[in-house]
Structure formats: structure tokens, C-alpha cells
Amino acid sequence: MGSVSKSNVLVVGFGGIGTVSAYNLEAGGLATVTGVMRSNYDHVKERGFYIYSVDHGEIPSWRPTHMSKTVPNVSDGSTSVFDYIVVCTKNIPDIPPTVADLIAPAVTPGHTAIVLVQNGVNIEKPVIAAFPQNVVLSGVSRMSSAEISPGRIFNQSHDILILGPFRNPNLERKKELEVARHFCDLYNAAGKATGEYNEEVDFIRWRKLCYNASYNSLCAITGMDTSRLRLAEFPVHELLLPVIFEIKRIARARGVHLAPDQEDATLAGDAIDDYFRPSMQQDIEKDNYMELEVIVGEPVREAQRLGVPAPTLSFIYSLLKALQARTKMRKGLIELPPMKKFDGAEEIMKKFQPNST
């Protein structure tokens, strides 16, 4: 009996989601994974990933078949052509490099399918513009998984990845659907995770945006987790619900009709006793950059384009941009002029020190 030909898959980004997704692909036996890692590369090369997963159990030491600190360049012949590139990094277009720039060395025009397992809306547009002959797939993860410390992954909920093709006007729809179904088959091959095929890509993404644009943003701004926001009560009516209603109106103007009771489902997305800290809140706490452009900036720009009022969302976007600017300053991405010195200031300040007289 002949061996089954495996798909050659590049996974970029090995945090909680990327690691479990890569492991699941290899566990199915239909894919060979090359992993691109940065901060955890040395640890994983030496010890492998320790994974605890509700789906796969305890895996004491695992590495993808191939590992790299940088995205491989297929044009130099050092690696085989990739059938799929799965991008599991945060999508932060205001911080270089962009997704398109990052993966460009590994893309074979007309062959490599690009799977964006990332938050936000309109994320496919710059990728399709950069690679007009390549299929681009949407991946919306419903899995709770985190890298607790370098190389140690805790996956505490069932892995559900909702997959479907973004519309590339340069390609036949039939080809896009076939590629999406094939990748779904790869993801389901291990029999542990759920690769859910769904062609309603816009619907899935705008539905998730109701949560991300509201809870994710407001938890980052206030420093309160989802439970505390709800228990305080007034943020629900004065902040969370107005944002969700604005997202629903923008989506409707775009032709995406979310459920009439979507706000109820979104508000109850986390149990009241979860005290869950969404990703942007964790980013602020760790002094990391936030995915504010794809989660809030793009909906605001869609609202402007479609003529839909979105005052609450626009104000929140301004606050998030200010917080992002603070992080850019701390990391040196925005250069600050030196503080003005006043003649004689040092002598004056000495008089305010204890025991100065």
C-alpha cells in the first residue's frame, strides 16, 4: 500500500493558537509542518514544546518536523515549495513588517494558499493585493490556548477552527472552495480538533468582531476584565452595548445580517465568574502592541465609507490609538525630543530635598 503524499505546511507564529494548530496538523498524518518561531525558538529547539491539551492530552516534548527563526526563502532552493502558509501571528499593520511582507519569501505565486488565523476584518485585502494569484483562506479560531511560559502551552478548550475562502476576484470561485475544503480535511484528519467549513466568511468575522470591538477594546482601556466590566453594570449600557449596536449597523450596511439577539450572545460570551482578560488587555499589561487597526480601525473606516454613524466606536478607536502611541514611544518607534532643561533647576530642586537646610 503506497504512502499518502503529505501537504507541505509553513506555520508562522507559535504562541498558544499556532502551536496547537501545528501539532494538530501533523497529528493527522497528512501534513508536514515547518515552524517559524522567534522568542521561543532556542527553548523549543533544546527541549521541545510541553503541551497540555483537552483534545490531545499531555505531550511532554514536541517539535514540528522543521524549525526556523525566519521565514524560509523558497526561491533559493533551500526548501520545498509550500502548499499552505498558516499565519497565526497578531495582525498589527501599523507595526512593521506587515503580514504580506513577512510571508513573501515563502509564497509561490499561483500555488501557495495563505491561511489567515487572525482577528479582524478586511485583513485579506493587503494579502490579495500582494499575491493576486494565490488563494487566501479565513481561519477564525474558537480555541482557548496560551503559552504560559516559553515552550509551555495550555490548551483549555476544544479546538474549533472555522475555515472558508476570502473572495479573490482574480481566481475562479471553484478553486477557492476546493482549497478551503482540502485544508479543512487536513485539520480534521487527526480526529481531535474541529475544522468547520463555512463559506460565510464575512458573517463569521463580523460576528466575532462584536466581542472583540467591545470587550477586547474596553478591557484594554479600563484595565478591567470581562467579569468586572459586567459587574460594574453601567459599562454594559454606556459602552459595551453601544459598540455592539454600532458594529451590527455597520455590518448590515455592508450586507452582513447578524442575529437580532447578537448583543445578548456577545455579552454572555464569557461566564460571569471567568474574570477573563482579553488579548488586548493582556497586551497593554505586557507593554505589547495591540491589534487595534484590524479590530477597531477597519470597522470605523467601513462606517465612514458606508455613511454609518459610529460615535462610540470612533471615540474608543482614538483612545486605543493613544495607548498604542504610548507603547510605540516606550519601545522607541516614535522618537521623542529631549526634555527641556531650565537653567538653575538642579540647584532649586536641591532645596526641596530632605535635610537640605
Side-chain angles (χ1 to χ4, degrees):
M1 190 172 181
S3 60
V4 176
S5 176
K6 294 185 178 183
S7 294
N8 195 24
V9 180
L10 179 70
V11 177
V12 183
F14 271 72
I17 301 295
T19 302
V20 175
S21 297
Y23 178 83
N24 180 64
L25 284 166
E26 288 213 328
L30 299 181
T32 299
V33 171
T34 296
V36 178
M37 307 167 203
R38 288 184 292 181
S39 60
N40 54 8
Y41 176 88
D42 292 332
H43 179 97
V44 174
K45 186 175 178 62
E46 179 183 351
R47 304 181 188 179
F49 281 104
Y50 169 83
I51 303 171
Y52 178 81
S53 167
V54 295
D55 294 325
H56 301 279
E58 185 174 7
I59 301 102
S61 180
W62 174 79
R63 301 173 184 83
T65 300
H66 305 290
M67 293 174 53
S68 177
K69 283 186 175 180
T70 59
V71 173
N73 188 341
V74 295
S75 65
D76 65 12
S78 61
T79 185
S80 301
V81 167
F82 291 107
D83 301 309
Y84 295 93
I85 297 176
V86 183
V87 185
C88 298
T89 60
K90 288 184 180 296
N91 195 329
I92 311 175
D94 52 320
I95 307 296
T98 64
V99 171
D101 290 339
L102 177 66
I103 66 174
V107 177
T108 299
H111 177 81
T112 307
I114 301 160
V115 188
L116 301 178
V117 185
Q118 298 179 302
N119 287 321
V121 294
N122 293 340
I123 63 173
E124 77 283 3
K125 291 185 176 182
V127 178
I128 291 173
F131 312 109
Q133 299 307 314
N134 294 73
V135 174
V136 181
L137 304 183
S138 167
V140 173
S141 179
R142 300 283 299 275
M143 165 175 46
S144 176
S145 182
E147 186 174 29
I148 305 301
S149 60
R152 299 181 69 83
I153 307 295
F154 180 40
N155 164 215
Q156 63 192 86
S157 70
H158 178 56
D159 179 4
I160 301 174
L161 183 61
I162 306 174
L163 294 157
F166 286 114
R167 186 69 190 103
N168 182 343
N170 305 297
L171 303 177
E172 292 183 2
R173 185 62 171 168
K174 179 181 178 183
K175 178 181 179 180
E176 293 177 319
L177 298 176
E178 287 174 352
V179 172
R181 290 192 184 99
H182 181 256
F183 188 79
C184 209
D185 289 342
L186 296 183
Y187 210 78
N188 285 321
K192 301 288 186 178
T194 300
E196 180 183 318
Y197 177 78
N198 193 316
E199 297 176 21
E200 300 299 323
V201 170
D202 257 13
F203 175 83
I204 297 299
R205 288 195 165 270
W206 281 88
R207 183 178 66 182
K208 186 173 183 180
L209 200 63
C210 285
Y211 178 94
N212 274 332
S214 59
Y215 272 124
N216 214 341
S217 300
L218 290 163
C219 288
I221 292 167
T222 63
M224 300 168 71
D225 55 52
T226 58
S227 297
R228 286 179 171 86
L229 269 182
R230 289 170 65 188
L231 291 168
E233 294 186 358
F234 76 87
V236 173
H237 303 287
E238 297 180 18
L239 295 168
L240 288 168
L241 280 173
V243 169
I244 297 170
F245 289 144
E246 288 174 13
I247 290 292
K248 287 180 69 175
R249 285 195 291 269
I250 300 165
R252 188 181 305 116
R254 185 183 162 112
V256 178
H257 298 278
L258 300 175
D261 61 347
Q262 181 61 54
E263 58 274 13
D264 297 328
T266 298
L267 288 176
D270 300 314
I272 195 66
D273 56 356
D274 273 357
Y275 296 95
F276 179 68
R277 292 156 46 247
S279 61
M280 288 206 292
Q281 181 183 358
Q282 295 184 50
D283 288 335
I284 283 288
E285 292 170 353
K286 296 175 183 177
D287 216 19
N288 290 335
Y289 298 119
M290 299 178 290
E291 296 180 287
L292 69 97
E293 291 299 338
V294 296
I295 290 175
V296 183
E298 281 300 318
V300 167
R301 286 184 280 275
E302 281 292 291
Q304 293 168 346
R305 182 179 70 85
L306 297 166
V308 178
T312 312
L313 194 64
S314 297
F315 180 61
I316 284 171
Y317 180 42
S318 296
L319 292 175
L320 289 172
K321 284 193 292 183
L323 291 172
Q324 189 90 314
R326 182 183 66 182
T327 304
K328 290 177 181 178
M329 291 174 186
R330 287 175 175 172
K331 292 179 178 289
L333 204 61
I334 296 177
E335 188 173 346
L336 301 175
M339 184 179 292
K340 181 179 179 180
K341 292 184 178 180
F342 295 90
D343 293 338
E346 292 183 6
E347 292 301 318
I348 294 173
M349 291 306 297
K350 287 179 182 178
K351 296 181 180 181
F352 289 93
Q353 295 176 1
N355 305 318
S356 61
T357 58

